[in-house]
Each structure stands twice: as structure tokens, then as C-alpha cells.
């Protein structure tokens, strides 16, 4: 009885799935995308696939004599996809998909192609040097790094908007031209901050020749070179921030040892002195001001 009831339930589920599928196909309207098979790209006459009796093969089967002939595509027709009867505009669904994709990869672009990496690493080094554990918290450091990034990148963002986004929305550029116009200001920002030895390293790995100009550097080489240079600069700044706090730790540790208090952790005593020194020297102003000035 159990097997029979399970079979009946299984057939009912399959029947329901079939009815739902048929209902979706009946409700959905005609698609705005039409696919034409045309004989040549420049030919304006469109035929639906299967309307003509012409063969789509350039050469008859079995006529190839060399491996090169076999490797060539033996199809005469090309496929053209036309949206909205060829008015040149991407439909709404595809536009939403592109926007969602850009939103998904935006955090990686902000982190890797801007000054965010250097700023957040320097702020973390500052917190570690103060030995305050989670003060300021990570959310505060990330928010501060984001606002500083927008402040530094504001001229670049404005240039990208005026030279790429506005012409693209006005229909004066296609997607490829808009991408190249938008990448140009970003490349001009990354190039001065990138050290030559990092760029030469990636050029050598990719076996790419460089004539010493920015135009001859591909994005696949410039972006990782910029990231490595940013990390190096951030660690150098972090080392300089650490020096005065290390001196305080050494003085406190020597004082405690001379007093015979070897069981008392020096960091517990030095933490208030570090905070006091940082406040008296207006440390946040000095750190942020000098980090921002490295880009000007």
C-alpha cells in the first residue's frame, strides 16, 4: 500500500509540474528578440531560419584536403540578434541584468583600483600600534577609508562620468568606446602610484614588451602592479607609524624590569601612554593628512 501511494503521489507531482510549465508558456507573451540567419553581415534583407533552400555550407562535405581546411568553419551564414526591431537599444531586462552585475563587482573595483587599499591598511596599522584591540572598530575604519577614498578619487570619478557615462547615455558612444573612455582616467590615476619594478615584473611574466608609455600597458598588467605598489607603500607608512610606539614599549618594559615587576605585562602599562601621546600629537590628523598627501 505504501509503495502504491508513493507512486500515486509521484505521478501527481509530475502532472502538476507539467501543468505549471504549460501555463507559463501560454501566459508569456511573444519575445522582443528576433534571431535572423543572414547570408552576409552587410546584407539588409533578413530571412527567418529555414525560409530558403540555400545550403549553409561553404564547401561540400568530404572536399577538405588539408588539416587547415578541416579547422576552418564551414558555414556560410552568420547569426544576427536584433533587439526591439533593431532600434539599437538594449531592452529593460538585459539592462537590469547588466546593472546588477556591475553592482556585484563594484566592491572589488573600489578596493583594487582606487586608494582604498593603502588607506585601510594604514588605519589598521595605526590601531595595532596603539594596541587598542578593537577601538576604533572595523566598521568605523572601513567607513573612514571609504569617505577618504571618495574624497581622493572625486576628480577621477567626475572625469569618468563626463567623458564616458554621459556620452554613452546620450548614444554618442557604444559600449566598447565608453569602457575605454572610462578606463582612461582610472589608468592615469593608477600609473603615477605604480612603481616601475612592479610593472616590469608583470610585463616579464606576461611576456609583453613595454615602450615606456602608459598606452602600451594592458589593464591586466597595470592593475596588479598598482595593487602591489599600494601594499608596499602602506606597509612603509605603517612601519613609520610603529616607531614612536615601539619606543614607548621599550621604555616601559625597561622601567618595569628595573623595578622588579617582571610579571606585569608592559603593554598594560604602555597603552595609556600611547593613547596620551597620540592625542597630544593629534595623531589622527597627522596620519590621515599625510596619507592623503601621498596622492597629490
Amino acid at each position: 500500500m505504501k509503495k502504491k501511494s508513493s507512486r500515486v503521489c509521484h505521478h501527481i507531482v509530475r502532472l502538476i509540474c507539467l501543468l505549471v510549465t504549460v501555463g507559463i508558456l501560454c501566459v508569456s507573451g511573444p519575445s522582443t528578440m528576433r534571431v535572423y540567419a543572414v547570408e552576409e553581415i552587410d546584407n539588409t534583407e533578413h530571412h527567418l531560419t529555414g525560409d530558403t533552400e540555400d545550403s549553409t555550407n561553404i564547401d561540400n562535405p568530404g572536399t577538405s584536403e588539408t588539416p587547415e581546411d578541416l579547422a576552418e568553419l564551414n558555414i556560410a551564414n552568420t547569426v544576427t540578434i536584433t533587439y526591439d526591431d533593431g532600434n539599437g537599444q538594449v531592452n529593460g531586462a538585459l539592462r537590469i541584468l547588466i546593472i546588477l552585475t556591475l553592482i556585484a563587482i563594484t566592491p572589488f573595483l573600489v578596493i583594487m583600483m582606487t586608494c582604498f587599499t593603502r588607506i585601510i591598511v594604514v588605519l589598521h596599522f595605526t590601531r595595532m600600534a596603539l594596541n587598542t584591540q578593537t577601538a576604533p572598530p572595523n566598521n568605523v575604519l572601513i567607513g573612514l577609508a571609504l569617505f577618504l577614498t571618495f574624497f581622493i578619487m572625486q576628480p577621477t570619478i567626475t572625469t569618468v562620468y563626463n567623458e564616458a557615462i554621459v556620452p554613452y547615455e546620450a548614444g554618442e558612444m557604444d559600449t566598447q568606446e565608453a569602457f575605454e573612455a572610462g578606463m582612461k582616467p582610472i589608468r592615469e590615476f593608477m600609473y603615477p602610484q605604480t612603481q616601475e619594478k612592479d610593472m616590469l615584473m608583470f610585463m616579464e611574466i606576461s611576456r609583453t614588451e613595454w615602450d615606456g608609455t602608459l598606452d602600451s600597458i594592458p589593464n591586466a598588467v597595470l592593475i596588479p602592479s598598482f595593487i602591489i605598489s599600494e601594499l608596499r607603500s602602506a606597509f612603509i607608512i605603517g612601519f613609520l607609524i610603529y616607531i614612536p610606539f615601539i619606543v614607548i614599549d621599550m621604555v616601559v618594559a625597561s622601567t618595569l624590569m628595573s623595578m622588579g615587576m617582571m610579571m606585569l605585562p608592559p603593554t598594560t602599562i604602555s597603552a595609556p601612554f600611547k593613547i596620551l601621546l597620540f592625542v597630544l600629537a593629534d595623531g589622527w590628523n597627522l596620519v590621515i593628512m599625510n596619507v592623503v598627501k601621498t596622492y597629490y
Side-chain angles (χ1 to χ4, degrees), residues 88-101:
Q89 299 293 329
V90 180
N91 62 3
L94 187 58
R95 184 183 292 271
I96 293 174
L97 177 62
I98 295 174
I99 293 175
L100 292 178
T101 303

Side-chain angles (χ1 to χ4, degrees), residues 85-201:
D85 295 330
N87 63 2
Q89 299 293 329
V90 180
N91 62 3
L94 187 58
R95 184 183 292 271
I96 293 174
L97 177 62
I98 295 174
I99 293 175
L100 292 178
T101 303
L102 292 177
I103 292 175
I105 65 175
T106 297
F108 299 98
L109 300 179
V110 171
I111 292 174
M112 296 303 172
M113 299 175 61
T114 63
C115 56
F116 180 84
T117 302
R118 182 187 301 185
I119 296 173
I120 193 64
V121 172
V122 170
L123 292 179
H124 274 283
F125 270 118
T126 304
R127 187 177 67 179
M128 292 173 59
L130 287 171
N131 196 25
T132 54
Q133 301 301 324
T134 59
N138 290 331
N139 293 335
V140 174
L141 294 183
I142 293 174
L144 178 60
L146 283 174
F147 277 104
L148 291 177
T149 300
F150 293 148
F151 174 78
I152 296 172
M153 298 295 297
Q154 184 178 1
T156 303
I157 295 173
T158 303
T159 305
V160 171
Y161 179 78
N162 293 330
E163 297 184 0
I165 298 178
V166 173
Y168 177 73
E169 291 294 336
E172 301 174 0
M173 291 183 177
D174 56 17
T175 304
Q176 182 64 27
E177 293 175 346
F179 175 77
E180 294 177 355
M183 281 299 299
K184 183 178 179 181
I186 299 177
R187 288 167 57 88
E188 292 177 351
F189 167 79
M190 292 189 294
Y191 181 69
Q193 308 298 330
T194 305
Q195 296 190 11
E196 185 176 351
K197 60 180 180 180
D198 296 328
M199 202 170 305
L200 292 176
M201 177 186 67

Side-chain angles (χ1 to χ4, degrees), residues 179-244:
F179 175 77
E180 294 177 355
M183 281 299 299
K184 183 178 179 181
I186 299 177
R187 288 167 57 88
E188 292 177 351
F189 167 79
M190 292 189 294
Y191 181 69
Q193 308 298 330
T194 305
Q195 296 190 11
E196 185 176 351
K197 60 180 180 180
D198 296 328
M199 202 170 305
L200 292 176
M201 177 186 67
F202 284 100
M203 284 286 189
E204 183 179 356
I205 294 174
S206 62
R207 298 179 181 178
T208 305
E209 295 184 359
W210 183 37
D211 57 3
T213 60
L214 175 59
D215 295 334
S216 62
I217 304 175
N219 292 329
V221 172
L222 181 59
I223 295 175
S225 304
F226 171 75
I227 296 172
I228 298 298
S229 300
E230 287 291 283
L231 289 175
R232 180 184 292 107
S233 301
F235 273 72
I236 293 174
I237 297 174
F239 171 76
L240 297 176
I241 293 174
Y242 251 103
I243 292 177

Side-chain angles (χ1 to χ4, degrees), residues 38 40-46:
V38 298
E40 293 182 357
I41 297 178
D42 296 334
N43 191 3
T44 59
E45 183 180 359
H46 301 290

